Amino acid sequence: LTTGAACASSREPEVRHHPRVVRSSRRKGDGGERYASRTSGSCVSAQFGRHTTHGLQPSSTYNRLPVAERGNTRITAQLPSGSTGQKERQLVKATDVVALNNLCVDIFLEMDELPFLEMDATEEKSTRKSVFEKLNSSPPPDVSRWEVGGATNFAITAARLGLTCTCLGHTGQDTYGRFMTDALMEEGVQVMQLYQDMHDDHEDILDDDDDDDDDDDDDQENALANTLLCWVLTTPFHKEHQFCSRFDLTQVPLLNDLQALPPLAQDTIRGAKALFVNGFVFDELNPLCVHDAIRVARASNTAIFFDVGPRGTPLRQDIPKGGRDALSALLLQSDVVLLTEEEAEEVTGLADPQAAARSILDAAGSRVAWVVLKMGA
């Protein structure tokens, strides 16, 4: 809801002249969790339902207008027009929001003791690799332990709030990929396969005459054939948890060879009112591709929402290569930046959350209208 409230205001001129910091908190309530966003002198809250394997259970209080009744917003945008240069024309924004990448399936596995506690960095990486390979080679747990995760949480919530939403990313042609697409389709969320579009346009993307790279190409092909999994390791009663996925073991994005968005993906962003990006996008996309998404969104007047997430520290360390510049671009070019108090300190170096948020708003060249500080939400 915090995102929805910011989205409703981010394109208003008065907000552009008076950017504000929003603080959000989460507290337990009967029948679910209550999220509240606080600004000076106002409060917005909503009651959410219970968690299920497909996300939040729909509540009868949601006002879900049929797609045909929501209408389209006509926005004048500057769009590329081929060799004739730039030409101003009317663009119908038929989609409310596009979520860029980070489509994964979370698999919950209960363990008596978590494997990565009290280890140094070298030992932990080796143990993570061993645990991840063992988990992936084992028969999959019962489907009741699966949940769609990553950007799908945002997409499903957006759809249940009545927004038309498209997920632009990668899923494999495996059981987990079918689970993902079925769950999203059930929620009314469209899925566009970024890799298939890329493969159609660049059939030789993984071809290489150098035999020394054959093993790397095979690993890349195997990774692309599968859906991203995140193993959520928990102790009994979920008192503690840890995550284990492919991206804990490599600094190379999954679609690293893709340095610009394919034309169909660009058109999808142009046709959306908003683009949602989170920090995990760099696990899959080359930073150059993220820059391209920012460029397309800005040129077509598509609002950008950036949820930093826990990738702030490696991005500031330029992991993956080019990540530091892409992070800076997102912090300057987004309309709304969402981050926890800890993440605010990571990306700004300022311990005071309000000062960190203000530094994002007041940075030279910043287009940010809202900074949302999340407190556990």
mmCIF file of all heavy atoms in Angstrom, residues 121-166:
data_model
loop_
_atom_site.group_PDB
_atom_site.id
_atom_site.type_symbol
_atom_site.label_atom_id
_atom_site.label_comp_id
_atom_site.label_asym_id
_atom_site.label_seq_id
_atom_site.Cartn_x
_atom_site.Cartn_y
_atom_site.Cartn_z
ATOM 1 N N ALA A 121 33.877 -15.815 5.742
ATOM 2 C CA ALA A 121 33.342 -15.651 4.387
ATOM 3 C C ALA A 121 33.729 -16.812 3.474
ATOM 4 O O ALA A 121 32.904 -17.319 2.710
ATOM 5 C CB ALA A 121 33.838 -14.328 3.810
ATOM 6 N N THR A 122 34.984 -17.264 3.549
ATOM 7 C CA THR A 122 35.440 -18.347 2.670
ATOM 8 C C THR A 122 34.729 -19.648 2.982
ATOM 9 O O THR A 122 34.250 -20.359 2.082
ATOM 10 C CB THR A 122 36.959 -18.539 2.811
ATOM 11 O OG1 THR A 122 37.624 -17.317 2.500
ATOM 12 C CG2 THR A 122 37.445 -19.647 1.883
ATOM 13 N N GLU A 123 34.632 -19.968 4.256
ATOM 14 C CA GLU A 123 33.970 -21.212 4.662
ATOM 15 C C GLU A 123 32.484 -21.172 4.318
ATOM 16 O O GLU A 123 31.901 -22.164 3.864
ATOM 17 C CB GLU A 123 34.155 -21.433 6.157
ATOM 18 C CG GLU A 123 33.568 -22.752 6.657
ATOM 19 C CD GLU A 123 33.707 -22.930 8.157
ATOM 20 O OE1 GLU A 123 34.117 -21.946 8.827
ATOM 21 O OE2 GLU A 123 33.403 -24.026 8.649
ATOM 22 N N GLU A 124 31.862 -19.998 4.502
ATOM 23 C CA GLU A 124 30.437 -19.888 4.219
ATOM 24 C C GLU A 124 30.150 -20.087 2.735
ATOM 25 O O GLU A 124 29.201 -20.780 2.352
ATOM 26 C CB GLU A 124 29.902 -18.524 4.661
ATOM 27 C CG GLU A 124 28.409 -18.351 4.368
ATOM 28 C CD GLU A 124 27.866 -17.024 4.842
ATOM 29 O OE1 GLU A 124 28.495 -16.400 5.716
ATOM 30 O OE2 GLU A 124 26.805 -16.618 4.353
ATOM 31 N N LYS A 125 30.972 -19.486 1.858
ATOM 32 C CA LYS A 125 30.750 -19.631 0.421
ATOM 33 C C LYS A 125 30.877 -21.083 -0.002
ATOM 34 O O LYS A 125 30.069 -21.594 -0.796
ATOM 35 C CB LYS A 125 31.743 -18.766 -0.360
ATOM 36 C CG LYS A 125 31.501 -18.805 -1.859
ATOM 37 C CD LYS A 125 32.382 -17.816 -2.592
ATOM 38 C CE LYS A 125 32.100 -17.832 -4.098
ATOM 39 N NZ LYS A 125 32.925 -16.847 -4.824
ATOM 40 N N SER A 126 31.881 -21.780 0.521
ATOM 41 C CA SER A 126 32.071 -23.184 0.183
ATOM 42 C C SER A 126 30.891 -24.026 0.673
ATOM 43 O O SER A 126 30.394 -24.907 -0.041
ATOM 44 C CB SER A 126 33.374 -23.691 0.799
ATOM 45 O OG SER A 126 33.520 -25.083 0.601
ATOM 46 N N THR A 127 30.432 -23.731 1.891
ATOM 47 C CA THR A 127 29.306 -24.477 2.444
ATOM 48 C C THR A 127 28.023 -24.186 1.676
ATOM 49 O O THR A 127 27.224 -25.091 1.409
ATOM 50 C CB THR A 127 29.117 -24.117 3.929
ATOM 51 O OG1 THR A 127 30.323 -24.366 4.642
ATOM 52 C CG2 THR A 127 27.995 -24.957 4.544
ATOM 53 N N ARG A 128 27.811 -22.934 1.310
ATOM 54 C CA ARG A 128 26.627 -22.580 0.529
ATOM 55 C C ARG A 128 26.603 -23.337 -0.797
ATOM 56 O O ARG A 128 25.569 -23.841 -1.213
ATOM 57 C CB ARG A 128 26.606 -21.069 0.265
ATOM 58 C CG ARG A 128 26.087 -20.238 1.414
ATOM 59 C CD ARG A 128 25.963 -18.774 1.025
ATOM 60 N NE ARG A 128 25.468 -17.980 2.128
ATOM 61 C CZ ARG A 128 24.181 -17.829 2.424
ATOM 62 N NH1 ARG A 128 23.266 -18.422 1.673
ATOM 63 N NH2 ARG A 128 23.807 -17.096 3.445
ATOM 64 N N LYS A 129 27.757 -23.410 -1.461
ATOM 65 C CA LYS A 129 27.829 -24.120 -2.740
ATOM 66 C C LYS A 129 27.474 -25.587 -2.553
ATOM 67 O O LYS A 129 26.693 -26.164 -3.333
ATOM 68 C CB LYS A 129 29.236 -23.991 -3.327
ATOM 69 C CG LYS A 129 29.388 -24.583 -4.727
ATOM 70 C CD LYS A 129 30.786 -24.313 -5.257
ATOM 71 C CE LYS A 129 30.905 -24.712 -6.728
ATOM 72 N NZ LYS A 129 30.699 -26.157 -6.915
ATOM 73 N N SER A 130 28.005 -26.201 -1.504
ATOM 74 C CA SER A 130 27.727 -27.609 -1.241
ATOM 75 C C SER A 130 26.248 -27.830 -0.924
ATOM 76 O O SER A 130 25.619 -28.755 -1.448
ATOM 77 C CB SER A 130 28.600 -28.097 -0.079
ATOM 78 O OG SER A 130 28.282 -29.421 0.271
ATOM 79 N N VAL A 131 25.694 -26.971 -0.069
ATOM 80 C CA VAL A 131 24.283 -27.103 0.313
ATOM 81 C C VAL A 131 23.381 -26.881 -0.894
ATOM 82 O O VAL A 131 22.422 -27.629 -1.128
ATOM 83 C CB VAL A 131 23.935 -26.111 1.442
ATOM 84 C CG1 VAL A 131 22.421 -26.052 1.669
ATOM 85 C CG2 VAL A 131 24.640 -26.503 2.729
ATOM 86 N N PHE A 132 23.703 -25.856 -1.709
ATOM 87 C CA PHE A 132 22.875 -25.540 -2.869
ATOM 88 C C PHE A 132 22.883 -26.697 -3.872
ATOM 89 O O PHE A 132 21.826 -27.082 -4.404
ATOM 90 C CB PHE A 132 23.395 -24.260 -3.527
ATOM 91 C CG PHE A 132 22.579 -23.810 -4.706
ATOM 92 C CD1 PHE A 132 21.277 -23.352 -4.542
ATOM 93 C CD2 PHE A 132 23.109 -23.840 -5.990
ATOM 94 C CE1 PHE A 132 20.515 -22.930 -5.624
ATOM 95 C CE2 PHE A 132 22.363 -23.426 -7.080
ATOM 96 C CZ PHE A 132 21.061 -22.973 -6.897
ATOM 97 N N GLU A 133 24.059 -27.267 -4.150
ATOM 98 C CA GLU A 133 24.133 -28.380 -5.083
ATOM 99 C C GLU A 133 23.379 -29.598 -4.557
ATOM 100 O O GLU A 133 22.708 -30.307 -5.323
ATOM 101 C CB GLU A 133 25.597 -28.731 -5.354
ATOM 102 C CG GLU A 133 26.334 -27.655 -6.155
ATOM 103 C CD GLU A 133 27.803 -27.962 -6.305
ATOM 104 O OE1 GLU A 133 28.309 -28.855 -5.568
ATOM 105 O OE2 GLU A 133 28.467 -27.313 -7.138
ATOM 106 N N LYS A 134 23.459 -29.852 -3.257
ATOM 107 C CA LYS A 134 22.753 -30.988 -2.670
ATOM 108 C C LYS A 134 21.244 -30.786 -2.749
ATOM 109 O O LYS A 134 20.493 -31.704 -3.095
ATOM 110 C CB LYS A 134 23.185 -31.164 -1.212
ATOM 111 C CG LYS A 134 22.519 -32.352 -0.521
ATOM 112 C CD LYS A 134 23.024 -32.506 0.905
ATOM 113 C CE LYS A 134 22.350 -33.691 1.603
ATOM 114 N NZ LYS A 134 22.830 -33.845 2.996
ATOM 115 N N LEU A 135 20.779 -29.563 -2.448
ATOM 116 C CA LEU A 135 19.349 -29.283 -2.498
ATOM 117 C C LEU A 135 18.813 -29.420 -3.921
ATOM 118 O O LEU A 135 17.743 -29.987 -4.144
ATOM 119 C CB LEU A 135 19.070 -27.877 -1.966
ATOM 120 C CG LEU A 135 19.281 -27.662 -0.473
ATOM 121 C CD1 LEU A 135 19.156 -26.173 -0.127
ATOM 122 C CD2 LEU A 135 18.294 -28.480 0.348
ATOM 123 N N ASN A 136 19.574 -28.912 -4.892
ATOM 124 C CA ASN A 136 19.116 -28.944 -6.279
ATOM 125 C C ASN A 136 19.114 -30.352 -6.857
ATOM 126 O O ASN A 136 18.354 -30.638 -7.788
ATOM 127 C CB ASN A 136 19.985 -28.041 -7.146
ATOM 128 C CG ASN A 136 19.557 -26.592 -7.054
ATOM 129 O OD1 ASN A 136 18.635 -26.251 -6.322
ATOM 130 N ND2 ASN A 136 20.231 -25.730 -7.789
ATOM 131 N N SER A 137 19.974 -31.226 -6.348
ATOM 132 C CA SER A 137 20.039 -32.591 -6.865
ATOM 133 C C SER A 137 19.056 -33.518 -6.161
ATOM 134 O O SER A 137 18.868 -34.664 -6.591
ATOM 135 C CB SER A 137 21.464 -33.140 -6.722
ATOM 136 O OG SER A 137 21.842 -33.203 -5.356
ATOM 137 N N SER A 138 18.420 -33.048 -5.100
ATOM 138 C CA SER A 138 17.456 -33.861 -4.358
ATOM 139 C C SER A 138 16.071 -33.743 -4.980
ATOM 140 O O SER A 138 15.780 -32.769 -5.682
ATOM 141 C CB SER A 138 17.402 -33.410 -2.895
ATOM 142 O OG SER A 138 18.680 -33.478 -2.290
ATOM 143 N N PRO A 139 15.193 -34.716 -4.766
ATOM 144 C CA PRO A 139 13.807 -34.584 -5.246
ATOM 145 C C PRO A 139 13.163 -33.330 -4.666
ATOM 146 O O PRO A 139 13.405 -32.990 -3.499
ATOM 147 C CB PRO A 139 13.128 -35.861 -4.717
ATOM 148 C CG PRO A 139 14.251 -36.832 -4.496
ATOM 149 C CD PRO A 139 15.428 -36.001 -4.076
ATOM 150 N N PRO A 140 12.381 -32.601 -5.453
ATOM 151 C CA PRO A 140 11.782 -31.358 -4.944
ATOM 152 C C PRO A 140 10.814 -31.639 -3.809
ATOM 153 O O PRO A 140 10.110 -32.662 -3.804
ATOM 154 C CB PRO A 140 11.050 -30.791 -6.174
ATOM 155 C CG PRO A 140 10.826 -31.972 -7.066
ATOM 156 C CD PRO A 140 11.986 -32.876 -6.836
ATOM 157 N N PRO A 141 10.772 -30.768 -2.809
ATOM 158 C CA PRO A 141 9.810 -30.926 -1.718
ATOM 159 C C PRO A 141 8.382 -30.818 -2.243
ATOM 160 O O PRO A 141 8.139 -30.419 -3.377
ATOM 161 C CB PRO A 141 10.145 -29.746 -0.791
ATOM 162 C CG PRO A 141 11.478 -29.271 -1.205
ATOM 163 C CD PRO A 141 11.604 -29.577 -2.652
ATOM 164 N N ASP A 142 7.439 -31.171 -1.395
ATOM 165 C CA ASP A 142 6.023 -31.072 -1.760
ATOM 166 C C ASP A 142 5.684 -29.649 -2.173
ATOM 167 O O ASP A 142 6.236 -28.676 -1.631
ATOM 168 C CB ASP A 142 5.151 -31.494 -0.574
ATOM 169 C CG ASP A 142 3.679 -31.539 -0.943
ATOM 170 O OD1 ASP A 142 3.256 -32.532 -1.550
ATOM 171 O OD2 ASP A 142 2.976 -30.554 -0.637
ATOM 172 N N VAL A 143 4.776 -29.523 -3.151
ATOM 173 C CA VAL A 143 4.438 -28.211 -3.699
ATOM 174 C C VAL A 143 3.869 -27.276 -2.636
ATOM 175 O O VAL A 143 3.904 -26.047 -2.801
ATOM 176 C CB VAL A 143 3.448 -28.369 -4.876
ATOM 177 C CG1 VAL A 143 2.086 -28.819 -4.364
ATOM 178 C CG2 VAL A 143 3.332 -27.089 -5.688
ATOM 179 N N SER A 144 3.386 -27.811 -1.543
ATOM 180 C CA SER A 144 2.855 -26.956 -0.473
ATOM 181 C C SER A 144 3.944 -26.101 0.158
ATOM 182 O O SER A 144 3.649 -25.124 0.852
ATOM 183 C CB SER A 144 2.190 -27.816 0.615
ATOM 184 O OG SER A 144 3.140 -28.668 1.236
ATOM 185 N N ARG A 145 5.213 -26.460 -0.096
ATOM 186 C CA ARG A 145 6.340 -25.681 0.434
ATOM 187 C C ARG A 145 6.868 -24.661 -0.571
ATOM 188 O O ARG A 145 7.858 -24.001 -0.308
ATOM 189 C CB ARG A 145 7.476 -26.621 0.860
ATOM 190 C CG ARG A 145 7.105 -27.559 2.003
ATOM 191 C CD ARG A 145 8.282 -28.438 2.389
ATOM 192 N NE ARG A 145 7.970 -29.299 3.501
ATOM 193 C CZ ARG A 145 8.137 -28.963 4.778
ATOM 194 N NH1 ARG A 145 8.618 -27.773 5.073
ATOM 195 N NH2 ARG A 145 7.837 -29.800 5.746
ATOM 196 N N TRP A 146 6.207 -24.549 -1.724
ATOM 197 C CA TRP A 146 6.635 -23.598 -2.747
ATOM 198 C C TRP A 146 5.842 -22.308 -2.635
ATOM 199 O O TRP A 146 4.653 -22.320 -2.334
ATOM 200 C CB TRP A 146 6.414 -24.162 -4.142
ATOM 201 C CG TRP A 146 7.072 -25.461 -4.453
ATOM 202 C CD1 TRP A 146 7.774 -26.263 -3.601
ATOM 203 C CD2 TRP A 146 7.067 -26.134 -5.706
ATOM 204 N NE1 TRP A 146 8.206 -27.394 -4.245
ATOM 205 C CE2 TRP A 146 7.785 -27.342 -5.548
ATOM 206 C CE3 TRP A 146 6.528 -25.841 -6.948
ATOM 207 C CZ2 TRP A 146 7.962 -28.241 -6.594
ATOM 208 C CZ3 TRP A 146 6.712 -26.731 -7.988
ATOM 209 C CH2 TRP A 146 7.428 -27.921 -7.814
ATOM 210 N N GLU A 147 6.496 -21.213 -2.905
ATOM 211 C CA GLU A 147 5.838 -19.918 -3.026
ATOM 212 C C GLU A 147 6.504 -19.130 -4.150
ATOM 213 O O GLU A 147 7.724 -19.241 -4.344
ATOM 214 C CB GLU A 147 5.924 -19.092 -1.727
ATOM 215 C CG GLU A 147 5.109 -19.627 -0.590
ATOM 216 C CD GLU A 147 5.125 -18.673 0.600
ATOM 217 O OE1 GLU A 147 5.603 -17.533 0.447
ATOM 218 O OE2 GLU A 147 4.672 -19.072 1.667
ATOM 219 N N VAL A 148 5.724 -18.363 -4.875
ATOM 220 C CA VAL A 148 6.343 -17.441 -5.826
ATOM 221 C C VAL A 148 6.953 -16.300 -5.024
ATOM 222 O O VAL A 148 6.380 -15.833 -4.038
ATOM 223 C CB VAL A 148 5.321 -16.923 -6.863
ATOM 224 C CG1 VAL A 148 4.884 -18.049 -7.770
ATOM 225 C CG2 VAL A 148 4.110 -16.287 -6.201
ATOM 226 N N GLY A 149 8.132 -15.865 -5.424
ATOM 227 C CA GLY A 149 8.835 -14.845 -4.649
ATOM 228 C C GLY A 149 9.440 -13.782 -5.541
ATOM 229 O O GLY A 149 9.108 -13.655 -6.722
ATOM 230 N N GLY A 150 10.356 -13.009 -4.982
ATOM 231 C CA GLY A 150 10.990 -11.934 -5.729
ATOM 232 C C GLY A 150 9.989 -10.858 -6.109
ATOM 233 O O GLY A 150 9.119 -10.469 -5.323
ATOM 234 N N ALA A 151 10.094 -10.368 -7.339
ATOM 235 C CA ALA A 151 9.217 -9.291 -7.803
ATOM 236 C C ALA A 151 7.766 -9.723 -7.933
ATOM 237 O O ALA A 151 6.881 -8.885 -8.063
ATOM 238 C CB ALA A 151 9.725 -8.766 -9.152
ATOM 239 N N THR A 152 7.502 -11.040 -7.886
ATOM 240 C CA THR A 152 6.115 -11.494 -8.005
ATOM 241 C C THR A 152 5.271 -11.055 -6.814
ATOM 242 O O THR A 152 4.057 -10.880 -6.948
ATOM 243 C CB THR A 152 6.043 -13.031 -8.132
ATOM 244 O OG1 THR A 152 6.572 -13.624 -6.946
ATOM 245 C CG2 THR A 152 6.841 -13.506 -9.335
ATOM 246 N N ASN A 153 5.889 -10.887 -5.652
ATOM 247 C CA ASN A 153 5.140 -10.394 -4.487
ATOM 248 C C ASN A 153 4.558 -9.014 -4.786
ATOM 249 O O ASN A 153 3.386 -8.733 -4.474
ATOM 250 C CB ASN A 153 6.050 -10.326 -3.254
ATOM 251 C CG ASN A 153 6.530 -11.692 -2.818
ATOM 252 O OD1 ASN A 153 5.763 -12.639 -2.782
ATOM 253 N ND2 ASN A 153 7.812 -11.801 -2.510
ATOM 254 N N PHE A 154 5.382 -8.160 -5.375
ATOM 255 C CA PHE A 154 4.909 -6.833 -5.768
ATOM 256 C C PHE A 154 3.825 -6.941 -6.829
ATOM 257 O O PHE A 154 2.791 -6.272 -6.756
ATOM 258 C CB PHE A 154 6.085 -6.008 -6.303
ATOM 259 C CG PHE A 154 5.664 -4.761 -7.029
ATOM 260 C CD1 PHE A 154 5.403 -3.590 -6.337
ATOM 261 C CD2 PHE A 154 5.515 -4.767 -8.405
ATOM 262 C CE1 PHE A 154 4.998 -2.445 -7.005
ATOM 263 C CE2 PHE A 154 5.110 -3.633 -9.084
ATOM 264 C CZ PHE A 154 4.853 -2.465 -8.381
ATOM 265 N N ALA A 155 4.049 -7.785 -7.845
ATOM 266 C CA ALA A 155 3.119 -7.884 -8.963
ATOM 267 C C ALA A 155 1.748 -8.379 -8.517
ATOM 268 O O ALA A 155 0.708 -7.849 -8.940
ATOM 269 C CB ALA A 155 3.697 -8.806 -10.038
ATOM 270 N N ILE A 156 1.724 -9.382 -7.660
ATOM 271 C CA ILE A 156 0.450 -9.931 -7.195
ATOM 272 C C ILE A 156 -0.293 -8.913 -6.342
ATOM 273 O O ILE A 156 -1.507 -8.729 -6.469
ATOM 274 C CB ILE A 156 0.686 -11.244 -6.420
ATOM 275 C CG1 ILE A 156 1.110 -12.341 -7.391
ATOM 276 C CG2 ILE A 156 -0.574 -11.656 -5.657
ATOM 277 C CD1 ILE A 156 1.503 -13.635 -6.725
ATOM 278 N N THR A 157 0.421 -8.212 -5.475
ATOM 279 C CA THR A 157 -0.217 -7.187 -4.654
ATOM 280 C C THR A 157 -0.779 -6.074 -5.531
ATOM 281 O O THR A 157 -1.887 -5.588 -5.315
ATOM 282 C CB THR A 157 0.780 -6.609 -3.641
ATOM 283 O OG1 THR A 157 1.292 -7.661 -2.821
ATOM 284 C CG2 THR A 157 0.100 -5.574 -2.747
ATOM 285 N N ALA A 158 -0.020 -5.673 -6.555
ATOM 286 C CA ALA A 158 -0.499 -4.640 -7.476
ATOM 287 C C ALA A 158 -1.776 -5.092 -8.167
ATOM 288 O O ALA A 158 -2.746 -4.325 -8.291
ATOM 289 C CB ALA A 158 0.581 -4.325 -8.511
ATOM 290 N N ALA A 159 -1.807 -6.354 -8.629
ATOM 291 C CA ALA A 159 -2.993 -6.871 -9.307
ATOM 292 C C ALA A 159 -4.194 -6.900 -8.369
ATOM 293 O O ALA A 159 -5.325 -6.581 -8.766
ATOM 294 C CB ALA A 159 -2.716 -8.264 -9.866
ATOM 295 N N ARG A 160 -3.978 -7.246 -7.109
ATOM 296 C CA ARG A 160 -5.089 -7.324 -6.155
ATOM 297 C C ARG A 160 -5.582 -5.946 -5.733
ATOM 298 O O ARG A 160 -6.698 -5.809 -5.230
ATOM 299 C CB ARG A 160 -4.662 -8.153 -4.940
ATOM 300 C CG ARG A 160 -4.497 -9.617 -5.296
ATOM 301 C CD ARG A 160 -4.123 -10.450 -4.096
ATOM 302 N NE ARG A 160 -4.053 -11.865 -4.474
ATOM 303 C CZ ARG A 160 -3.734 -12.838 -3.638
ATOM 304 N NH1 ARG A 160 -3.440 -12.542 -2.376
ATOM 305 N NH2 ARG A 160 -3.698 -14.078 -4.048
ATOM 306 N N LEU A 161 -4.752 -4.948 -5.950
ATOM 307 C CA LEU A 161 -5.192 -3.572 -5.715
ATOM 308 C C LEU A 161 -5.897 -2.990 -6.941
ATOM 309 O O LEU A 161 -6.306 -1.831 -6.919
ATOM 310 C CB LEU A 161 -4.003 -2.689 -5.332
ATOM 311 C CG LEU A 161 -3.398 -2.946 -3.950
ATOM 312 C CD1 LEU A 161 -2.110 -2.149 -3.767
ATOM 313 C CD2 LEU A 161 -4.387 -2.603 -2.849
ATOM 314 N N GLY A 162 -6.030 -3.795 -7.990
ATOM 315 C CA GLY A 162 -6.781 -3.370 -9.158
ATOM 316 C C GLY A 162 -5.945 -2.843 -10.305
ATOM 317 O O GLY A 162 -6.485 -2.281 -11.249
ATOM 318 N N LEU A 163 -4.614 -3.011 -10.254
ATOM 319 C CA LEU A 163 -3.741 -2.515 -11.311
ATOM 320 C C LEU A 163 -3.481 -3.606 -12.350
ATOM 321 O O LEU A 163 -3.408 -4.791 -12.012
ATOM 322 C CB LEU A 163 -2.404 -2.047 -10.735
ATOM 323 C CG LEU A 163 -2.462 -0.958 -9.663
ATOM 324 C CD1 LEU A 163 -1.059 -0.642 -9.159
ATOM 325 C CD2 LEU A 163 -3.122 0.293 -10.202
ATOM 326 N N THR A 164 -3.340 -3.215 -13.606
ATOM 327 C CA THR A 164 -2.892 -4.153 -14.629
ATOM 328 C C THR A 164 -1.378 -4.230 -14.555
ATOM 329 O O THR A 164 -0.693 -3.206 -14.533
ATOM 330 C CB THR A 164 -3.330 -3.701 -16.035
ATOM 331 O OG1 THR A 164 -2.876 -2.373 -16.271
ATOM 332 C CG2 THR A 164 -4.843 -3.734 -16.155
ATOM 333 N N CYS A 165 -0.850 -5.454 -14.507
ATOM 334 C CA CYS A 165 0.572 -5.636 -14.228
ATOM 335 C C CYS A 165 1.169 -6.683 -15.161
ATOM 336 O O CYS A 165 0.548 -7.710 -15.445
ATOM 337 C CB CYS A 165 0.772 -6.058 -12.772
ATOM 338 S SG CYS A 165 2.506 -6.199 -12.266
ATOM 339 N N THR A 166 2.390 -6.425 -15.635
ATOM 340 C CA THR A 166 3.149 -7.363 -16.445
ATOM 341 C C THR A 166 4.499 -7.607 -15.797
ATOM 342 O O THR A 166 5.173 -6.656 -15.393
ATOM 343 C CB THR A 166 3.369 -6.818 -17.872
ATOM 344 O OG1 THR A 166 2.108 -6.682 -18.528
ATOM 345 C CG2 THR A 166 4.252 -7.753 -18.686
#
